[in-house]
Amino acid sequence: MRDYSLVKINLTGGIASPGMLEGILLMAQKAGVKEVSIGARQQLLMWVKADTQRGSGLPSLRESLEAMHIDFEIDTHQYPNIISSYCAQEVFQTGQWLSEGIYRDLLDGFDFQPQLKINISDYQQSFTPFFTGNLNFIASSIPNFWYLYIRQKQSNTIFRFPLLIYTLEISKVSKRLEGILLSGVDLSEEDVYEKMIAQGEIISQLVQEDLVLPQFMLPYYEGFNRYGNKTWLGIYRRHETFEVAFLLDVCKICLDTKVGQICTTPWKSLIIKGIENQDRVLWDKLLGKYGINVRHAANELNWQVEDHCQGGLALKNTIIREFDQEDIRTFGLCFAIQTRSKSEVFGSVVIKKRKILAGLTQVYDVYHTVDFNPNTRQLVLFEKGLHKAHIAEILQRLTKRYYHRSTASVIEKPSPPQTNPTSTHQVHQCKVCMTIYDEKLGDSQQEIKAGTKFDALPDNYCCPVCDSEKENFEVKTVETTFQL
């Protein structure tokens, strides 16, 4: 019987208001919690004495969270957090049209708890992962329209949905796809598309160009940094835990100085934006009060370990010490350690633990992604069957391969991807606002039934979005299956 239970609280999009977070932390403190951690999906995690133990604070914590209408799970992982790149907004390089308001509108549209992993990503940033979700929405270059890449559960195959999805339709699309993908039926890419559009129209556009992955370059996400006339502060903890007392003081300063959000990151750190110059001294004093170091080396910050994995964390620290001793350059790379076969980690170099001899012992395999961009998710085996004492040495060899990858004889070129068969059908698209009329869907706003051919529409038919006339629609061909 376990002495402690794991309480998980999803912070949607990795965004927490100081007031809400303060309320959660006060309840946790009352329940005997002294430290909390941030998960790889930007959620809040805490261990609480199990309700089977004498003096457990779990029943009161459960009751308090329910009273505050805060969604939580205890010892389960049925509802993964929606992660987003909002933590990078304004402070790192991002696209031009995304703003705090758009993130807010998008995330506020979710009126249900998703059971699929959902990622919301700006297309130009390289701070949060693109494809670690089941539904991966990536902003296109067209304002308010998003690519959608789908990965079915327990699968590594990703395919691109043939339409760009409008911002305010993302919640609706996600809910529909949950019903389709969690039905327990094996579906092809075409099946998913057909079932999706059969449920009614959505505001969308045809995909006009392929998504181009940005070059990966993990920004330094710690310490005080100026942007515009303000400052942002990044806080990383080597042991991946934050004292509740420290976080309560963080919330207090935010509330006193009118800082509106505290952001969590996939690197299990915190980012506080919008610090006014005159308030910098308050944050300096806070860091000093708790002895918080914000001077970690970049080769320590570019690692991701599974949540609550002490073995992986110990291995990471061992490798980092050897890197420091040998003065190894790791700029441009990020590393991940995977000890559980079905866990999600994000890295251009992935160290996977593998059990052998019927589980009596284990070895480690080292992979790197194609072109060393972690968002490609296509792994290339570099070395297998390693004892953990030899991993650091092998990684040093791999870093040399990375820095000499432009030499054709040094790096293996990946074989070209196999192209999946595609199925197409014709739709009509408004030339003014790119809205699509699909005969399979009809137009419910104007009471046009599904199956109504475009030629059979009345002469006074107009676009439901921009009121453009029927003659301003043109024929387009839609592909229904795609390969990443």
Side-chain angles (χ1 to χ4, degrees), residues 53 77 95 113 118 126 147 150 157 204 236 256 266 305 312 375 405 423:
Q53 302 298 308
H77 299 280
Q113 289 190 74
I118 298 176
S126 59
Y147 293 99
I150 300 174
T157 302
S204 59
Y236 157 86
D256 290 345
V305 179
N375 279 313
R405 67 192 187 284
S423 174

Side-chain angles (χ1 to χ4, degrees), residues 358-393:
L360 295 177
T361 186
Q362 61 275 327
V363 293
Y364 295 85
D365 303 328
V366 175
Y367 298 81
H368 66 84
T369 53
V370 173
D371 294 332
F372 290 89
N373 187 328
N375 279 313
T376 64
R377 290 180 58 87
Q378 301 176 41
L379 294 178
V380 177
L381 178 64
F382 183 72
E383 196 70 59
K384 64 185 294 187
L386 298 172
H387 186 276
K388 64 181 178 181
H390 301 143
I391 295 176
E393 176 187 351

Side-chain angles (χ1 to χ4, degrees), residues 204-419:
S204 59
Q205 291 190 25
L206 289 173
V207 174
Q208 303 288 349
E209 57 187 11
D210 292 334
L211 171 69
V212 177
L213 292 179
Q215 180 182 1
F216 179 82
M217 198 62 64
L218 182 67
Y220 191 82
Y221 58 84
E222 190 187 35
F224 290 100
N225 302 271
R226 292 291 300 273
Y227 70 107
N229 60 353
K230 295 185 178 181
T231 297
W232 65 268
L233 170 62
I235 305 174
Y236 157 86
R237 302 300 286 147
R238 178 171 289 166
H239 42 65
E240 297 188 349
T241 58
F242 295 83
E243 292 181 53
V244 169
F246 166 70
L247 292 180
L248 283 171
D249 280 349
V250 168
C251 293
K252 184 178 186 306
I253 294 179
C254 287
L255 291 168
D256 290 345
T257 60
K258 295 181 172 54
V259 171
Q261 292 104 23
I262 298 170
C263 297
T264 58
T265 82
W267 305 96
K268 305 183 181 181
S269 65
L270 297 176
I271 287 180
I272 296 99
K273 308 177 192 177
I275 298 174
E276 299 287 353
N277 293 331
Q278 68 268 19
D279 298 325
R280 163 75 182 267
V281 64
L282 297 174
W283 294 97
D284 278 322
K285 289 181 178 179
L286 177 64
L287 297 178
K289 175 182 176 181
Y290 290 93
I292 305 293
N293 176 30
V294 289
R295 298 286 190 277
H296 293 91
N299 69 1
E300 180 174 351
L301 298 177
N302 59 355
W303 284 78
Q304 189 179 82
V305 179
E306 296 153 320
D307 297 339
H308 291 136
C309 181
Q310 293 304 312
L313 197 57
L315 178 59
K316 165 193 168 180
N317 292 332
T318 298
I319 295 171
I320 290 170
R321 284 195 296 270
E322 293 196 40
F323 277 11
D324 286 340
Q325 291 172 3
E326 299 297 329
D327 200 20
I328 301 300
R329 173 182 171 87
T330 63
F331 181 76
L333 292 170
C334 64
F335 301 82
I337 297 176
Q338 184 182 43
T339 65
R340 301 185 291 268
S341 60
K342 295 182 180 180
S343 65
E344 289 281 356
V345 290
F346 178 69
S348 50
V349 177
V350 180
I351 304 159
K352 291 189 175 186
K353 179 180 175 181
R354 175 164 54 89
K355 293 182 179 181
I356 58 173
L357 300 177
L360 295 177
T361 186
Q362 61 275 327
V363 293
Y364 295 85
D365 303 328
V366 175
Y367 298 81
H368 66 84
T369 53
V370 173
D371 294 332
F372 290 89
N373 187 328
N375 279 313
T376 64
R377 290 180 58 87
Q378 301 176 41
L379 294 178
V380 177
L381 178 64
F382 183 72
E383 196 70 59
K384 64 185 294 187
L386 298 172
H387 186 276
K388 64 181 178 181
H390 301 143
I391 295 176
E393 176 187 351
I394 296 301
L395 292 182
Q396 292 177 42
R397 285 174 41 199
L398 184 52
T399 60
K400 292 179 181 178
R401 168 175 285 198
Y402 169 67
Y403 291 117
H404 293 87
R405 67 192 187 284
S406 59
T407 304
S409 61
V410 174
I411 186 168
E412 299 176 4
K413 293 184 178 180
S415 58
Q418 296 180 349
T419 303

Side-chain angles (χ1 to χ4, degrees), residues 60-108:
S60 63
L61 177 61
R62 182 190 292 112
E63 183 179 339
S64 298
L65 290 172
E66 289 173 349
M68 286 185 64
H69 304 290
I70 293 174
D71 295 326
F72 64 94
E73 289 186 79
I74 301 176
D75 294 329
T76 60
H77 299 280
Q78 185 177 358
Y79 302 102
N81 194 32
I82 300 173
I83 71 172
S84 82
S85 57
Y86 176 74
C87 54
Q89 182 68 25
E90 295 182 335
V91 299
F92 301 132
Q93 178 179 342
T94 57
Q96 296 182 352
W97 61 265
L98 266 174
S99 65
E100 176 185 345
I102 292 175
Y103 277 107
R104 283 289 184 186
D105 290 343
L106 189 162
L107 295 171
D108 287 346

